Amino acid sequence: MCSGIIFVNKLDDLLKEFNISRKDFSEQLNLNQTTIAAWKTRDIIPNVELLVQISQLLEVSLEWLVTEISPANINDFQKTVTLRRSIRKRIYERIAELQKIESADNEKTHNLFFKSFPNLTYRLLYNWAEGRADLKEYVLTDIAYSLGIDMSFLINGTRKEKIKVENFDKILFLAAQRNQNDLYCLDNLTGKRRQLAKDMLNQLMELEHLEYVEAARIEKEQKKYNS
C-alpha cells in the first residue's frame, strides 16, 4: 500500500487530468476541503469505505489507487499500458470507420456508440488504457462484437496472426477470446436474461481464475519443497 503523500499526489494528478478541482471533488464526497491536504501532511490514506467511493467516482480500480508501482514491475506495467493504448486507439478508429467520421475519440461519440453498454464509460475505457482500471472478461468480447471484428484484430490489429498477449493481461485477453462464440448465443436472449447469463458466466470465469491461481501457487510451493 502506498503512503498518504503518494496517494494524494496520485489523486491530484487524476483530478488535474479530469479537470476537477479539489473543491468540487471534496463536495462530491461530502468532505471538508482541508481533508485531502491533511492526508498528505499526516502521511495517511483514507479508510476503506472512502477509498471505494473515490475509486468509483474517478472510475479507477481500488488496487491501482492504493498501490505504488515498484521498480521491479514497472516494465510489465509499461508493456501493459502500451498494449491497452493500442487497443483503445483501434476501438475508436473502427468506430470512426463505421460512423464515417474523422475522429470518434470523444465522449459524445463514445456514448452514442456504446449506449447499450452504460457501464462502459469513456473515462473507464481511458483509465483502463492507462492501466488504472480493470475490465471484466466479457467486456472486450462485447466491444469486438459491437465493432464487427474478431478478438485477434481488436488486440493485434490483424486477422491473420494469433493473439499476442503480455503476462499482465493474459488471463483477461484469452478468456475474452474463448468466450467470443458465447456472445452470439447470448445475443439471442432478451435483455434481462442476457445480462443474467453474462453475470453468471463472469462469476464462473472469476471462480476459474481463482482456482487457476491457487493451483499455480500449490504447484510452486510443491516444486520449492521438492528442491
Side-chain angles (χ1 to χ4, degrees):
M1 186 172 290
C2 65
S3 66
I5 296 174
I6 293 176
F7 172 78
V8 174
N9 288 340
K10 185 182 291 189
L11 182 60
D12 280 337
D13 288 342
L14 274 177
L15 295 179
K16 182 179 180 181
E17 188 172 349
F18 297 152
N19 196 28
I20 302 174
S21 67
R22 271 196 184 186
K23 179 178 180 297
D24 291 339
F25 177 73
S26 299
E27 289 178 351
Q28 292 182 67
L29 293 174
N30 295 318
L31 297 175
N32 189 292
Q33 292 187 46
T34 61
T35 301
I36 298 178
W39 293 339
K40 189 170 186 177
T41 55
R42 296 170 60 190
D43 198 15
I44 60 174
I45 62 174
N47 58 51
V48 175
E49 291 77 11
L50 189 51
L51 284 172
V52 171
Q53 292 182 50
I54 293 173
S55 68
Q56 291 175 343
L57 178 61
L58 298 178
E59 298 186 83
V60 296
S61 70
L62 187 60
E63 180 182 7
W64 176 86
L65 195 60
V66 299
T67 302
E68 179 181 4
I69 300 176
S70 66
N73 60 20
I74 186 65
N75 287 335
D76 288 340
F77 181 79
Q78 289 174 337
K79 289 178 181 178
T80 298
V81 169
T82 299
L83 177 62
R84 289 183 176 190
R85 285 175 177 172
S86 66
I87 292 173
R88 180 183 179 277
K89 179 181 179 182
R90 200 168 293 122
I91 289 171
Y92 290 119
E93 287 177 343
R94 176 59 176 168
I95 293 175
E97 179 184 347
L98 292 173
Q99 300 292 330
K100 294 180 173 55
I101 56 178
E102 184 175 347
S103 175
D105 192 353
N106 60 77
E107 189 169 7
K108 181 179 179 181
T109 303
H110 174 100
N111 291 340
L112 287 173
F113 189 84
F114 291 115
K115 59 184 178 182
S116 59
F117 305 106
N119 294 327
L120 181 63
T121 65
Y122 182 75
R123 179 184 291 179
L124 176 59
L125 190 57
Y126 177 79
N127 281 332
W128 176 78
E130 296 301 311
R132 301 187 296 223
D134 301 316
L135 293 179
K136 298 296 185 181
E137 287 89 343
Y138 64 78
V139 174
L140 285 180
T141 310
D142 280 349
I143 291 175
Y145 184 65
S146 299
L147 297 174
I149 57 178
D150 55 34
M151 286 298 300
S152 60
F153 182 76
L154 178 63
I155 296 173
N156 284 338
T158 174
R159 296 180 175 85
K160 297 180 179 179
E161 298 179 5
K162 293 182 178 180
I163 291 181
K164 300 177 182 178
V165 296
E166 300 294 342
N167 290 334
F168 190 88
D169 274 348
K170 187 173 184 178
I171 296 174
L172 171 65
F173 291 146
L174 294 185
Q177 184 187 34
R178 286 198 308 270
N179 292 286
Q180 184 175 16
N181 291 333
D182 297 339
L183 188 61
Y184 293 93
C185 298
L186 292 173
D187 198 45
N188 291 321
L189 298 176
T190 57
K192 291 183 178 180
R193 289 178 178 175
R194 182 173 185 266
Q195 187 60 49
L196 177 61
K198 286 172 61 178
D199 290 341
M200 291 176 64
L201 284 172
N202 188 56
Q203 291 175 12
L204 289 172
M205 286 190 288
E206 289 180 349
L207 177 60
E208 182 179 353
H209 171 52
L210 291 175
E211 291 175 344
Y212 170 82
V213 172
E214 179 63 16
R217 183 188 67 79
I218 294 175
E219 182 180 0
K220 183 178 181 180
E221 290 184 353
Q222 187 65 39
K223 288 182 178 179
K224 183 179 180 181
Y225 175 79
N226 292 336
S227 62

